[in-house]
Amino acid sequence: MYRHKEKTLKCPQCNRRFIYDYEVKSHVSNVHTQSRETFQCEICDFTSKFEISLKTHMVRVHTKDFLYKCQTCDKGYTRKSELESHEKIQHQGVRHVCQHCGKGFLTERAFTKHSKSHDPDHIEKVFTCHLCSVVFRSYTSHNRHMKRHNGQLPGYVCDICGKRITTLQSLKFHKRTHTGEKNYLCGTCGKVFIRKQALVTHTRVHTKERPFQCLVCSKRFTQKSSLNIHMRYHTGERPYGCEFCSKKFVTNTLLKDHKCKANG
C-alpha cells in the first residue's frame, strides 16, 4: 500500500505545511508575495503571474525538454513524482497494492473490497444463477447474466452468426472475424490484426518490451492480462472451478483441458 509522506516543512509566514521545499517556495510566492508583474510566453498568448508557471508551460507545450522521461513510452514530465505516478499507473497498472498478498488494483473501491477477503471473519457475498448455477461476485454481473438468459440484454445482433454484441463498435470489430478484414499491419514482420491494440501488443514481440511488472517477484509481461493470471499464482486465487469436482484453476483454458473422471 502506498503511504502519503508526512508534511514536515512549515511556511515561515503561516501555519500551512508541505512535503517538499519547492512547495513551500511556491506557496510563499503565490500567497504571501505581492507582485503585479505578468510573465508572457514569447510563442503563444499564455500569461501568468508566476515565473515558475511560465517555465513549466514552455517545457510542457513548446520545448518538450522534460527533465524526467519515461523509458517505456518516452512521455515527459517536469516533476519526478509525476513520472513515478505515470509508470505505476500506465505501465504497472497499479494504484493500490495489498500488503498481505501483493495483489495490485487500479481503483480504491476494488482494493477495499479485496482487503476484506483477508479478514478471517469476512464472508464473501456471491450471486448464483438459478438457471445454470454460474456464480458471480457482484450483483451487476449477475443481473447482466440473467438478462442474457431472458433475452433482455440491449445491443446488436451479428447478421452472419447471430451473436449478440453489446456495442456498435464491438459489432464492427466482430464482423471482421467473418470478412477477414485486418487493417493493422506490423511493419516488422507483416502480420496483420483486426484491432489496433492487438498490433500494439504484438509489436512488443519485436521490441522485447515488457511494461507490466509483478510487484511480488519482479517478473515482467507484455500484456496486463498475463500479469493478472501470474498474480493468481501468488495469491492462490483460482476463479475457474470444475462443476463436477472440487478442483479449481487459474485460467479458463486450464479448466477446459481438465479431464474430470466424474464427467466421464
Side-chain angles (χ1 to χ4, degrees):
M1 188 187 307
Y2 302 116
R3 300 185 180 276
H4 295 291
K5 293 184 178 179
E6 187 178 354
K7 296 181 179 181
T8 58
L9 302 178
K10 183 178 178 296
C11 170
Q13 300 185 42
C14 69
N15 293 324
R16 288 285 303 277
R17 289 181 174 273
F18 303 90
I19 298 175
Y20 302 106
D21 184 58
Y22 73 83
E23 293 178 316
V24 179
K25 293 179 181 178
S26 177
H27 165 74
V28 172
S29 175
N30 294 349
V31 179
H32 301 295
T33 303
Q34 298 295 325
S35 176
R36 294 184 179 180
E37 184 178 5
T38 299
F39 297 91
Q40 169 75 50
C41 176
E42 298 178 354
I43 302 175
C44 68
D45 295 332
F46 176 83
T47 59
S48 175
K49 295 180 181 180
F50 314 108
E51 186 178 11
I52 186 64
S53 297
L54 175 60
K55 290 181 179 179
T56 301
H57 162 79
M58 287 298 296
V59 173
R60 288 179 174 173
V61 179
H62 300 300
T63 67
K64 306 294 183 182
D65 186 21
F66 294 105
L67 182 60
Y68 303 99
K69 286 190 175 182
C70 176
Q71 298 300 311
T72 303
C73 66
D74 206 36
K75 279 193 175 183
Y77 297 90
T78 55
R79 296 180 181 177
K80 185 178 181 180
S81 59
E82 291 177 327
L83 171 62
E84 291 175 344
S85 177
H86 161 80
E87 290 177 334
K88 289 174 183 175
I89 295 173
Q90 298 299 325
H91 301 304
Q92 296 179 16
V94 172
R95 290 177 185 166
H96 306 275
V97 179
C98 177
Q99 60 182 342
H100 298 287
C101 65
K103 190 172 183 179
F105 299 87
L106 285 173
T107 65
E108 185 175 0
R109 181 179 179 182
F111 169 70
T112 302
K113 182 179 180 181
H114 166 79
S115 297
K116 293 178 181 178
S117 66
H118 292 289
D119 185 343
D121 298 323
H122 173 68
I123 300 176
E124 184 177 10
K125 188 175 183 180
V126 295
F127 304 86
T128 305
C129 173
H130 67 278
L131 296 176
C132 64
S133 300
V134 175
V135 177
F136 299 90
R137 294 183 179 179
S138 72
Y139 172 77
T140 302
S141 298
H142 173 264
N143 189 42
R144 185 179 183 84
H145 172 79
M146 293 307 299
K147 286 182 177 180
R148 289 186 182 276
H149 279 304
N150 300 329
Q152 298 174 350
L153 189 66
Y156 304 86
V157 177
C158 174
D159 57 4
I160 300 175
C161 68
K163 185 176 181 179
R164 183 177 291 274
I165 312 294
T166 54
T167 67
L168 186 60
Q169 182 70 5
S170 296
L171 176 62
K172 176 183 175 182
F173 286 118
H174 167 76
K175 282 195 171 184
R176 290 179 181 174
T177 62
H178 298 300
T179 63
E181 179 185 357
K182 296 181 179 181
N183 297 328
Y184 299 97
L185 172 70
C186 174
T188 304
C189 67
K191 194 172 182 179
V192 288
F193 300 87
I194 294 175
R195 293 176 181 266
K196 182 179 180 180
Q197 186 55 48
L199 171 61
V200 172
T201 301
H202 163 78
T203 302
R204 293 171 186 153
V205 174
H206 303 298
T207 63
K208 308 301 180 183
E209 176 192 1
R210 294 177 178 269
F212 303 101
Q213 183 176 19
C214 173
L215 297 179
V216 179
C217 67
S218 299
K219 189 174 182 179
R220 306 187 74 96
F221 300 88
T222 59
Q223 301 181 57
K224 181 64 167 62
S225 58
S226 299
L227 172 59
N228 290 339
I229 293 172
H230 168 80
M231 285 302 300
R232 291 171 187 162
Y233 288 100
H234 289 300
T235 64
E237 180 186 6
R238 284 170 168 74
Y240 301 95
C242 175
E243 61 179 315
F244 300 103
C245 68
S246 59
K247 286 190 176 182
K248 293 185 177 182
F249 304 88
V250 294
T251 68
N252 192 37
T253 301
L254 290 174
L255 171 60
K256 291 179 177 178
D257 291 340
H258 165 61
K259 306 297 183 183
C260 183
K261 294 181 180 178
N263 191 28

